[in-house]
């Protein structure tokens, strides 16, 4: 009996050491997947594209940023939005204290990320990281998952990497492999700014080599590839297809309902994520206009309903799919 009790105690200790498993991690701690609710899976608050190579410290005023962002978040409540994934990576303006404050002030649950943005030819990655191995890079991200980001206890809800819009360079293969290694250690989902299929398909090959399922991978900006059959092919492999630029211009507004209808007809709506890649307060450029988070609700949802999408379909896209995509769970081959 005593041995049995000891065994049960050990099991409960082991379980309590993995509090994040099957949960979603927000900047204010883990939540149940069922608590995510309506979620915008790819938006931004603040992106510092003007950061110079010497990596100057942040020069913007946090209070000014909150004054711009908070009212935009408040508008989302009218549409029942409960959560938002903020996709700005480290060295590009990620500021988890700002995210925490905005989450507390707005009541919107916010997810942040670990990872490096290699797109734009690695301009936003410190030079010393470009020389590191995939294992060493992964260990930085795993450390943020285990111990928190930038001296806080805020943990990443997903891994965000970025690669150029062409065949993978050696370093971008390395970044992808690092993401696979970090996924195997943590169960955190990989989101990759990949753009056209050429890079995304190579990334799926690297995941396969590492024994990681396509279900652990969000192909971000997938709608940049105009070959819709490639998007369908990737969805059939199990990869998440992120159609996240709704509202960027007329082309995106007109094309989205048709593209989503194609996924619905193929019975693949359960592999699609929708968002707007909006926001972008840019501290280096006050002229940059903030892109609102609401066009998806004002225009896309009514357009989808006009095409015969049911409430269950909309719920699939905005509630069930993000919950499944962001749940911490090792997805191995
Ligand atoms: Zn983005």
């Amino acid at each position: 009996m005593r041995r049995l009790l000891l065994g049960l105690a050990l099991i409960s200790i082991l379980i309590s050491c993995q509090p994040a498993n099957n949960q979603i991690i927000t900047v204010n701690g883990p939540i149940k997947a069922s608590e995510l609710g309506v979620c915008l899976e790819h938006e931004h608050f603040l992106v510092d594209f003007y950061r110079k190579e010497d990596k100057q410290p942040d020069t913007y005023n946090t209070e000014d940023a909150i004054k711009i962002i908070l009212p935009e978040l408040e508008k989302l409540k009218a549409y029942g939005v409960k959560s938002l994934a903020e996709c700005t990576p480290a060295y590009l303006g990620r500021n988890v204290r700002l995210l925490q404050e905005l989450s507390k002030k707005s009541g919107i649950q916010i997810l942040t990320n670990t990872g490096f943005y290699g797109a734009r030819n690695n301009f936003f990655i410190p030079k010393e990281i470009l020389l590191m191995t995939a294992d060493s890079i992964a260990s930085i991200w795993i450390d943020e998952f285990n111990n928190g980001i930038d001296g806080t206890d805020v943990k990443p809800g997903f891994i965000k990497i970025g690669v150029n819009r062409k065949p993978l360079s050696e370093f971008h293969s390395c970044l992808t492999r690092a993401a696979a290694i970090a996924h195997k250690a943590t169960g955190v989902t990989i989101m990759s700014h990949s753009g056209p299929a050429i890079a995304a398909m190579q990334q799926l090959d690297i995941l396969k080599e590492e024994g990681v399922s396509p279900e652990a991978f969000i192909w971000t900006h997938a709608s940049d590839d105009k070959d819709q059959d490639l998007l369908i092919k990737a969805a059939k492999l199990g990869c998440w297809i992120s159609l996240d630029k709704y509202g960027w211009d007329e082309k995106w507004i007109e094309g989205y309902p048709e593209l989503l209808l194609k996924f619905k007809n193929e019975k693949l709506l359960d592999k699609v994520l929708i968002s707007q890649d909006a926001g972008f307060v840019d501290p280096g450029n006050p002229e940059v206009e903030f892109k609102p988070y609401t066009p998806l609700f004002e225009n896309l949802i009514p357009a989808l309903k006009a095409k015969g999408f049911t409430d269950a379909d909309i719920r699939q896209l905005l509630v069930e799919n993000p919950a499944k995509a962001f749940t911490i769970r090792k997805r191995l081959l």
Side-chain angles (χ1 to χ4, degrees), residues 22-38:
N22 288 318
Q23 292 184 310
I24 290 172
I25 302 180
T26 76
V27 294
N28 288 314
I31 59 169
K32 289 182 199 152
S34 58
E35 293 172 318
L36 190 72
V38 174

Side-chain angles (χ1 to χ4, degrees), residues 42-44 87-88 117 160 193 220-221 244 248 277-278 280:
H42 190 119
E43 308 296 342
H44 294 271
C87 298
T88 306
Y117 184 83
K160 167 80 186 282
H193 164 116
T220 290
H221 308 326
D244 45 48
W248 271 48
D277 198 14
F280 288 83

Side-chain angles (χ1 to χ4, degrees), residues 21-72:
N21 209 24
N22 288 318
Q23 292 184 310
I24 290 172
I25 302 180
T26 76
V27 294
N28 288 314
I31 59 169
K32 289 182 199 152
S34 58
E35 293 172 318
L36 190 72
V38 174
C39 176
L40 288 172
E41 60 91 24
H42 190 119
E43 308 296 342
H44 294 271
F45 290 168
L46 185 147
V47 182
D48 189 359
F49 277 127
Y50 287 76
R51 189 175 293 240
K52 300 290 182 284
E53 264 193 292
D54 58 5
K55 304 289 180 298
Q56 295 170 36
D58 301 318
T59 51
Y60 59 91
N61 180 314
T62 304
E63 288 305 314
D64 288 347
I66 288 173
K67 269 185 213 150
I68 299 170
I69 301 162
L70 186 58
E72 300 294 335

